[in-house]
Amino acid sequence: MNRPVLAANWKMNNGPTTAREFMQSFLDQYPRQNDRTILIFPPALSFSVVAAAIGERRDILLGVQDVHWEDQGAFTGQLSVPMARDAGARVVLVGHSERRHVFGETDDDVALKCAAVERGGLTPLLCVGERLDERDAGNASGVVVSQLRAGLSRMTQLATREVMVAYEPVWAIGTGRNATPEDASAMHSVIRNELASLCGDRARVTPILYGGSVNSGNARSLLGAPEVDGLLVGGASLDPGSWLAIVRG
Ligand code: 13P
Protein backbone atom coordinates (compact mmCIF):
# COMPACT_ATOMS: atom_id res chain seq x y z
CA MET A 1 0.00 0.00 0.00
CA ASN A 2 1.09 3.57 -0.59
CA ARG A 3 1.77 5.74 2.46
CA PRO A 4 -1.73 6.27 3.87
CA VAL A 5 -3.43 9.63 3.49
CA LEU A 6 -5.95 10.54 6.17
CA ALA A 7 -8.00 13.50 5.05
CA ALA A 8 -10.51 15.60 6.98
CA ASN A 9 -13.14 17.46 4.98
CA TRP A 10 -14.75 19.86 7.40
CA LYS A 11 -17.30 21.04 4.82
CA MET A 12 -19.21 24.08 6.18
CA ASN A 13 -18.18 23.46 9.80
CA ASN A 14 -15.52 24.79 12.15
CA GLY A 15 -15.32 28.57 11.84
CA PRO A 16 -12.10 30.29 12.95
CA THR A 17 -12.72 30.04 16.71
CA THR A 18 -13.70 26.37 16.66
CA ALA A 19 -10.93 25.59 14.17
CA ARG A 20 -8.33 27.16 16.48
CA GLU A 21 -9.60 25.13 19.44
CA PHE A 22 -9.72 21.96 17.37
CA MET A 23 -6.15 22.37 16.16
CA GLN A 24 -4.86 23.10 19.64
CA SER A 25 -6.43 19.95 20.98
CA PHE A 26 -5.44 17.80 17.98
CA LEU A 27 -1.82 18.94 17.73
CA ASP A 28 -1.29 18.56 21.49
CA GLN A 29 -2.19 14.90 21.18
CA TYR A 30 -0.77 14.07 17.77
CA PRO A 31 3.03 14.22 17.53
CA ARG A 32 4.59 14.13 14.08
CA GLN A 33 4.26 10.76 12.32
CA ASN A 34 6.30 10.23 9.19
CA ASP A 35 4.54 7.09 8.04
CA ARG A 36 1.24 8.77 7.13
CA THR A 37 0.04 12.03 5.64
CA ILE A 38 -2.66 14.08 7.29
CA LEU A 39 -4.66 16.37 5.06
CA ILE A 40 -7.15 18.94 6.34
CA PHE A 41 -9.71 20.83 4.24
CA PRO A 42 -11.01 23.64 6.44
CA PRO A 43 -13.63 26.08 5.21
CA ALA A 44 -11.91 29.05 3.52
CA LEU A 45 -12.52 31.44 6.41
CA SER A 46 -10.67 29.14 8.81
CA PHE A 47 -7.80 28.30 6.48
CA SER A 48 -5.30 30.82 7.85
CA VAL A 49 -6.03 29.82 11.46
CA VAL A 50 -5.33 26.18 10.67
CA ALA A 51 -2.22 27.05 8.63
CA ALA A 52 -0.85 29.10 11.54
CA ALA A 53 -1.53 26.26 13.99
CA ILE A 54 0.29 23.72 11.80
CA GLY A 55 3.32 25.96 11.37
CA GLU A 56 6.29 24.00 10.09
CA ARG A 57 4.86 20.51 10.51
CA ARG A 58 5.38 18.73 7.21
CA ASP A 59 3.28 15.69 8.07
CA ILE A 60 0.11 17.78 7.90
CA LEU A 61 -0.96 19.30 4.58
CA LEU A 62 -3.75 21.73 3.92
CA GLY A 63 -6.25 21.91 1.12
CA VAL A 64 -9.23 23.96 -0.01
CA GLN A 65 -12.66 22.45 -0.62
CA ASP A 66 -13.32 23.98 -4.03
CA VAL A 67 -11.87 26.47 -6.53
CA HIS A 68 -12.99 28.33 -9.62
CA TRP A 69 -11.15 27.50 -12.83
CA GLU A 70 -10.23 31.12 -13.59
CA ASP A 71 -7.21 32.62 -11.84
CA GLN A 72 -8.93 35.89 -10.92
CA GLY A 73 -11.78 38.16 -11.87
CA ALA A 74 -15.39 39.07 -11.22
CA PHE A 75 -16.58 35.80 -9.67
CA THR A 76 -18.18 36.83 -6.39
CA GLY A 77 -17.76 34.27 -3.66
CA GLN A 78 -15.20 32.11 -5.47
CA LEU A 79 -11.60 31.16 -4.67
CA SER A 80 -8.87 30.68 -7.25
CA VAL A 81 -5.96 28.25 -7.41
CA PRO A 82 -3.27 30.98 -7.18
CA MET A 83 -4.98 32.33 -4.04
CA ALA A 84 -5.15 28.87 -2.53
CA ARG A 85 -1.46 28.30 -3.28
CA ASP A 86 -0.54 31.70 -1.83
CA ALA A 87 -2.43 30.82 1.38
CA GLY A 88 -0.44 27.58 1.73
CA ALA A 89 -2.77 24.98 0.21
CA ARG A 90 -1.18 21.96 -1.45
CA VAL A 91 -4.29 20.06 -2.48
CA VAL A 92 -7.71 21.02 -3.88
CA LEU A 93 -10.87 18.93 -3.52
CA VAL A 94 -12.53 18.82 -6.92
CA GLY A 95 -15.94 17.44 -7.81
CA HIS A 96 -17.03 16.57 -4.29
CA SER A 97 -20.43 14.91 -4.26
CA GLU A 98 -22.03 17.94 -2.61
CA ARG A 99 -20.62 20.22 -5.29
CA ARG A 100 -22.06 17.95 -7.95
CA HIS A 101 -25.41 17.08 -6.41
CA VAL A 102 -26.28 20.12 -4.27
CA PHE A 103 -24.70 22.85 -6.42
CA GLY A 104 -25.13 21.28 -9.84
CA GLU A 105 -21.47 21.05 -10.81
CA THR A 106 -21.06 19.22 -14.12
CA ASP A 107 -18.33 16.87 -15.31
CA ASP A 108 -17.04 19.66 -17.51
CA ASP A 109 -16.84 22.08 -14.56
CA VAL A 110 -14.88 19.40 -12.73
CA ALA A 111 -12.53 18.97 -15.69
CA LEU A 112 -11.91 22.72 -15.92
CA LYS A 113 -11.14 22.83 -12.21
CA CYS A 114 -8.72 19.88 -12.35
CA ALA A 115 -6.92 21.57 -15.25
CA ALA A 116 -6.72 24.84 -13.29
CA VAL A 117 -5.29 23.02 -10.30
CA GLU A 118 -2.66 21.35 -12.49
CA ARG A 119 -1.80 24.68 -14.14
CA GLY A 120 -1.40 26.28 -10.73
CA GLY A 121 0.95 23.59 -9.46
CA LEU A 122 -1.33 22.11 -6.80
CA THR A 123 -2.65 18.56 -6.50
CA PRO A 124 -6.27 17.81 -7.33
CA LEU A 125 -8.13 15.34 -5.13
CA LEU A 126 -10.80 14.32 -7.61
CA CYS A 127 -13.94 12.90 -6.00
CA VAL A 128 -16.06 10.35 -7.82
CA GLY A 129 -18.95 8.19 -6.72
CA GLU A 130 -22.27 6.75 -7.81
CA ARG A 131 -25.78 7.42 -6.45
CA LEU A 132 -27.79 4.59 -4.95
CA ASP A 133 -30.09 4.27 -7.97
CA GLU A 134 -27.04 3.97 -10.21
CA ARG A 135 -25.59 1.22 -7.99
CA ASP A 136 -28.95 -0.57 -7.85
CA ALA A 137 -29.11 -0.44 -11.64
CA GLY A 138 -25.72 -2.20 -11.79
CA ASN A 139 -24.04 0.89 -13.18
CA ALA A 140 -21.77 1.93 -10.29
CA SER A 141 -18.50 1.23 -12.11
CA GLY A 142 -19.75 2.84 -15.30
CA VAL A 143 -20.58 6.07 -13.47
CA VAL A 144 -17.31 6.15 -11.56
CA VAL A 145 -15.18 5.48 -14.65
CA SER A 146 -17.03 8.10 -16.61
CA GLN A 147 -16.60 10.73 -13.85
CA LEU A 148 -12.91 9.84 -13.59
CA ARG A 149 -12.27 10.09 -17.32
CA ALA A 150 -14.22 13.33 -17.64
CA GLY A 151 -12.61 14.91 -14.59
CA LEU A 152 -9.07 14.23 -15.79
CA SER A 153 -9.78 14.91 -19.46
CA ARG A 154 -8.37 18.44 -19.57
CA MET A 155 -5.19 17.72 -17.62
CA THR A 156 -2.12 17.56 -19.83
CA GLN A 157 0.57 16.15 -17.53
CA LEU A 158 -1.11 13.09 -16.10
CA ALA A 159 1.92 10.88 -16.55
CA THR A 160 4.12 13.05 -14.37
CA ARG A 161 1.96 15.10 -12.01
CA GLU A 162 0.50 14.05 -8.71
CA VAL A 163 -3.21 13.40 -8.67
CA MET A 164 -5.31 11.92 -5.88
CA VAL A 165 -8.70 10.30 -6.25
CA ALA A 166 -11.43 9.76 -3.67
CA TYR A 167 -14.13 7.17 -4.15
CA GLU A 168 -17.12 8.51 -2.26
CA PRO A 169 -20.36 6.69 -3.06
CA VAL A 170 -23.14 9.26 -2.70
CA TRP A 171 -25.31 6.84 -0.71
CA ALA A 172 -22.60 6.49 1.93
CA ILE A 173 -21.96 10.19 2.55
CA GLY A 174 -23.37 11.37 5.86
CA THR A 175 -25.77 8.42 6.04
CA GLY A 176 -24.00 6.19 8.56
CA ARG A 177 -23.95 3.47 5.88
CA ASN A 178 -20.38 2.98 4.73
CA ALA A 179 -19.34 0.81 1.80
CA THR A 180 -17.95 -2.52 2.95
CA PRO A 181 -14.17 -2.90 2.68
CA GLU A 182 -14.82 -5.42 -0.13
CA ASP A 183 -17.00 -2.99 -2.08
CA ALA A 184 -14.46 -0.22 -1.59
CA SER A 185 -11.62 -2.51 -2.71
CA ALA A 186 -13.49 -3.59 -5.80
CA MET A 187 -14.22 -0.02 -6.90
CA HIS A 188 -10.69 1.13 -6.09
CA SER A 189 -9.38 -1.60 -8.40
CA VAL A 190 -11.65 -0.36 -11.16
CA ILE A 191 -10.34 3.17 -10.58
CA ARG A 192 -6.69 2.07 -10.54
CA ASN A 193 -7.10 0.12 -13.77
CA GLU A 194 -8.68 3.10 -15.42
CA LEU A 195 -5.92 5.36 -14.11
CA ALA A 196 -3.35 2.97 -15.59
CA SER A 197 -4.84 3.50 -19.01
CA LEU A 198 -4.87 7.27 -18.50
CA CYS A 199 -1.54 7.90 -16.79
CA GLY A 200 0.50 4.71 -17.06
CA ASP A 201 2.83 3.72 -14.24
CA ARG A 202 1.80 6.66 -12.09
CA ALA A 203 -1.44 4.84 -11.38
CA ARG A 204 0.40 2.52 -9.00
CA VAL A 205 1.40 5.40 -6.72
CA THR A 206 -1.76 7.45 -7.10
CA PRO A 207 -3.47 7.62 -3.70
CA ILE A 208 -7.06 6.41 -3.93
CA LEU A 209 -9.01 7.35 -0.82
CA TYR A 210 -12.33 5.99 0.35
CA GLY A 211 -14.93 8.36 1.83
CA GLY A 212 -18.47 7.91 3.13
CA SER A 213 -19.48 7.40 6.77
CA VAL A 214 -15.94 6.62 7.90
CA ASN A 215 -15.67 6.64 11.68
CA SER A 216 -13.29 5.47 14.38
CA GLY A 217 -15.00 2.07 14.40
CA ASN A 218 -14.69 1.21 10.70
CA ALA A 219 -11.58 3.18 9.69
CA ARG A 220 -9.11 0.42 10.36
CA SER A 221 -10.89 -2.24 8.29
CA LEU A 222 -11.52 0.16 5.40
CA LEU A 223 -7.91 1.32 5.38
CA GLY A 224 -6.74 -2.28 5.57
CA ALA A 225 -8.67 -3.23 2.43
CA PRO A 226 -6.61 -3.88 -0.71
CA GLU A 227 -6.26 -0.82 -2.98
CA VAL A 228 -7.46 1.60 -0.28
CA ASP A 229 -4.67 4.14 0.24
CA GLY A 230 -6.44 6.51 2.56
CA LEU A 231 -9.68 7.88 3.94
CA LEU A 232 -11.62 11.08 3.33
CA VAL A 233 -13.62 11.78 6.45
CA GLY A 234 -16.48 14.24 6.93
CA GLY A 235 -18.55 14.09 10.12
CA ALA A 236 -16.10 12.04 12.18
CA SER A 237 -13.31 14.53 11.47
CA LEU A 238 -15.12 17.33 13.32
CA ASP A 239 -14.51 15.95 16.77
CA PRO A 240 -10.84 15.96 17.81
CA GLY A 241 -11.33 12.69 19.72
CA SER A 242 -12.75 10.66 16.85
CA TRP A 243 -10.37 12.26 14.36
CA LEU A 244 -7.43 11.37 16.59
CA ALA A 245 -8.65 7.79 16.85
CA ILE A 246 -8.85 7.58 13.05
CA VAL A 247 -5.43 9.06 12.33
CA ARG A 248 -3.69 7.11 15.09
CA GLY A 249 -5.27 3.81 14.05
P1 13P B 1 -19.09 11.69 5.94
O1 13P B 1 -17.81 11.11 6.50
O2 13P B 1 -19.74 12.66 6.89
O3 13P B 1 -19.99 10.61 5.45
O4 13P B 1 -18.66 12.57 4.67
C1 13P B 1 -17.84 12.00 3.72
C2 13P B 1 -17.39 13.07 2.80
O5 13P B 1 -18.17 13.59 2.03
C3 13P B 1 -15.98 13.49 2.87
O6 13P B 1 -15.66 14.31 1.79
Side-chain angles (χ1 to χ4, degrees):
M1 187 176 87
N2 295 314
R3 175 174 140 140
V5 179
L6 299 155
N9 175 11
W10 287 353
K11 307 189 181 184
M12 199 174 71
N13 298 286
N14 288 350
T17 304
T18 321
R20 188 178 294 109
E21 289 164 4
F22 179 107
M23 290 309 293
Q24 210 157 32
S25 161
F26 174 58
L27 294 172
D28 279 354
Q29 298 173 77
Y30 184 74
R32 182 176 174 144
Q33 310 269 334
N34 291 325
D35 61 350
R36 66 203 73 180
T37 300
I38 307 297
L39 192 44
I40 301 178
F41 294 93
L45 287 172
S46 302
F47 191 97
S48 59
V49 165
V50 179
I54 289 170
E56 298 302 309
R57 277 187 66 164
R58 299 251 170 97
D59 58 326
I60 304 178
L61 305 181
L62 278 186
V64 293
Q65 298 177 8
D66 185 33
V67 286
H68 193 273
W69 51 82
E70 296 289 346
D71 287 353
Q72 61 186 45
F75 300 101
T76 300
Q78 300 294 298
L79 308 176
S80 73
V81 177
M83 285 174 195
R85 191 181 56 227
D86 187 27
R90 299 272 297 277
V91 183
V92 179
L93 272 188
V94 186
H96 187 275
S97 162
E98 287 139 23
R99 299 298 323 164
R100 293 177 190 266
H101 300 296
V102 180
F103 297 103
E105 200 161 290
T106 65
D107 273 343
D108 203 43
D109 296 337
V110 174
L112 287 166
K113 291 180 181 192
C114 282
V117 175
E118 177 184 69
R119 201 169 62 238
L122 301 186
T123 298
L125 171 40
L126 170 62
C127 302
V128 295
E130 80 286 359
R131 298 188 314 256
L132 189 56
D133 59 315
E134 293 166 331
R135 172 159 281 258
D136 287 345
N139 196 25
S141 304
V143 169
V144 164
V145 164
S146 135
Q147 288 176 346
L148 188 69
R149 281 184 167 271
L152 301 178
S153 62
R154 290 178 183 266
M155 291 181 67
T156 57
Q157 298 160 41
L158 276 176
T160 52
R161 288 286 304 279
E162 184 180 47
V163 171
M164 298 184 190
V165 176
Y167 170 52
E168 297 206 305
V170 180
W171 48 269
I173 297 178
T175 59
R177 178 184 166 195
N178 59 286
T180 63
E182 294 73 26
D183 284 343
S185 255
M187 191 61 86
H188 284 218
S189 291
V190 169
I191 292 170
R192 196 161 328 265
N193 285 340
E194 195 58 32
L195 283 172
S197 75
L198 294 170
C199 47
D201 282 351
R202 258 213 96 76
R204 277 188 290 118
V205 294
T206 299
I208 306 177
L209 282 55
Y210 167 78
S213 294
V214 173
N215 57 41
S216 52
N218 60 25
R220 182 185 282 264
S221 61
L222 285 161
L223 195 56
E227 301 293 345
V228 176
D229 302 310
L231 301 170
L232 179 55
V233 187
S237 73
L238 298 177
D239 170 63
S242 67
W243 177 237
L244 264 168
I246 292 169
V247 299
R248 278 186 180 144

